[in-house]
Amino acid sequence: MKRNNENLSLGDVLKEFVEKNNLEKGLDKVHVRDAWNQQMGPAIQKYTTAIKLQGSTLYVQLSSSVLREELSYGKEKIVKMLNEELGKVLIEKLVLR
């Protein structure tokens, strides 16, 4: 870590620590789950049984086939919304199960 510059913010230090220790993938998975719940709201969160980010594909398991059908029409919009919430393009494909 950079010790020579005392003006580093805590955020910068944490970011550097995360990158050096390859923790970013794990944090991305947590952020994706948070983004899903934030963007989709409590009604959909209630039917969400599992969320898994594998590579750039987000797998979301839903307990309602009706909801799964409804959401399947807006997959591209959902992916765009989630990536905007995350501030980077993490998700390229959404698979609803």
Side-chain angles (χ1 to χ4, degrees), residues 1 11 15 27 31-32 49 56 60 68-69 76 96:
M1 292 217 187
K15 188 174 181 216
L27 281 175
H31 293 146
V32 165
T49 54
S56 62
V60 178
R68 185 169 46 249
E69 189 70 25
E76 283 178 30
L96 301 170

Side-chain angles (χ1 to χ4, degrees), residues 3-79:
R3 297 247 184 258
N4 55 359
N5 187 349
E6 290 179 22
N7 297 328
L8 277 179
S9 73
L10 181 58
D12 290 340
V13 172
L14 283 173
K15 188 174 181 216
E16 190 176 326
F17 176 80
V18 165
E19 286 168 359
K20 271 200 174 135
N21 294 285
N22 295 321
L23 299 175
E24 208 155 354
K25 279 188 173 48
L27 281 175
D28 283 345
K29 289 177 183 181
V30 171
H31 293 146
V32 165
R33 192 174 309 122
D34 291 346
W36 173 266
N37 292 333
Q38 186 77 35
Q39 289 297 313
M40 303 310 281
I44 292 174
Q45 184 180 349
K46 195 168 65 174
Y47 294 102
T48 304
T49 54
I51 299 172
K52 184 179 180 185
L53 180 65
Q54 208 165 11
S56 62
T57 303
L58 181 64
Y59 296 91
V60 178
Q61 197 162 351
L62 299 163
S63 59
S64 164
S65 57
V66 175
L67 181 62
R68 185 169 46 249
E69 189 70 25
E70 256 333 280
L71 292 180
S72 69
Y73 297 115
K75 279 188 193 178
E76 283 178 30
K77 186 180 175 197
I78 293 169
V79 167

